[in-house]
């Protein structure tokens, strides 16, 4: 039983990481990412200050220059990913196995969406070399966590098996 129990504990830990990721992504999408496509007047002062602080601190050229392709990715995030975060929070909290296929779709979309963003951070000459590491640390979790979710859901036809007795 030790291996199974360890697997169950690891699964519970990963579920908590995913739920934290989904929950934290909701305000990030609404209050930060949407500022790339909507006028600042639509956002509360704390969100505008946070956005400006991020730009001043990290000099992220994607947020300062706001290329059309980046705006398109933000709109895809708002239209497709934002609703998924709410659904996923519910499904993970209730251990609903029907979330497997939507999770695979979301995760594949999120990973694919991050490729041009990370490519820009790593290879665009507009990104100062001294900012690449910190920007990579900011953006990489938005690739790595969905990739982890993709692998987990792909490998587990029943993502939430019946609880182990005593759990």
């Amino acid at each position: 039983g030790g291996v199974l129990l360890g697997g169950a504990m690891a699964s519970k830990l990963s579920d908590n990481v995913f739920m934290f990721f989904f929950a934290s992504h909701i305000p990030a999408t609404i209050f930060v990412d949407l500022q790339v496509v909507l006028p600042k007047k639509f956002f509360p002062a704390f969100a505008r200050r946070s956005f400006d602080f991020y730009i001043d601190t990290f000099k992220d050229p994607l947020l300062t220059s706001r290329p059309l392709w980046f705006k398109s990715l933000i709109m895809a995030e708002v239209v497709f990913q934002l609703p998924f975060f709410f659904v996923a929070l519910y499904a993970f909290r209730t251990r609903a196995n029907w979330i497997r296929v939507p999770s695979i779709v979301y995760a594949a979309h999120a990973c694919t969406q991050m490729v041009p963003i990370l490519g820009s951070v790593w290879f665009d000459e507009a990104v100062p070399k001294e900012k690449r590491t910190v920007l990579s640390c900011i953006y990489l979790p938005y690739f790595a966590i969905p990739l982890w979710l993709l692998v987990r859901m792909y490998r587990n036809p029943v993502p939430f098996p019946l609880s182990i007795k005593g759990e």
Side-chain angles (χ1 to χ4, degrees):
V3 173
L4 185 56
L5 183 58
M9 288 181 356
S11 181
K12 186 158 182 65
L13 174 63
S14 69
D15 291 349
N16 288 335
V17 169
F18 294 138
M19 288 194 305
F20 175 79
F21 179 77
F22 301 143
S24 66
H25 214 300
I26 292 167
T29 300
I30 294 169
F31 294 117
V32 178
D33 297 349
L34 262 174
Q35 288 190 61
V36 171
V37 294
L38 294 177
K40 284 190 170 276
K41 67 181 179 183
F42 290 114
F43 299 93
F46 79 88
R48 293 191 307 264
R49 283 192 306 272
S50 297
F51 189 81
D52 292 341
F53 173 81
Y54 173 84
I55 289 175
D56 292 344
T57 304
F58 299 109
K59 312 287 189 248
D60 186 339
L62 291 175
L63 297 186
T64 56
S65 68
R66 302 174 189 188
L68 181 58
W69 65 266
F70 186 64
K71 288 180 179 180
S72 300
L73 294 180
I74 297 296
M75 287 310 301
E77 176 186 357
V78 170
V79 171
F80 299 113
Q81 294 182 29
L82 184 59
F84 172 79
F85 299 140
F86 291 97
V87 172
L89 277 170
Y90 171 79
F92 273 73
R93 179 76 180 107
T94 61
R95 300 178 54 83
N97 287 312
W98 53 258
I99 197 63
R100 180 178 181 260
V101 171
S103 291
I104 291 170
V105 172
Y106 156 75
H109 170 77
C111 288
T112 303
Q113 190 167 329
M114 289 309 300
V115 169
I117 293 171
L118 290 169
S120 178
V121 166
W122 295 336
F123 304 113
D124 189 337
E125 292 179 10
V127 179
K129 289 192 187 313
E130 65 276 5
K131 294 291 181 183
R132 290 184 182 176
T133 300
V134 71
L135 289 173
S136 293
C137 290
I138 291 167
Y139 283 115
L140 267 174
Y142 296 99
F143 177 82
I145 293 173
L147 181 61
W148 178 12
L149 178 66
L150 178 65
V151 170
R152 165 146 181 239
M153 292 296 176
Y154 179 77
R155 294 181 66 199
N156 296 294
V158 180
F160 304 107
L162 294 176
S163 293
I164 299 169
K165 236 181 180 170
E167 206 182 11

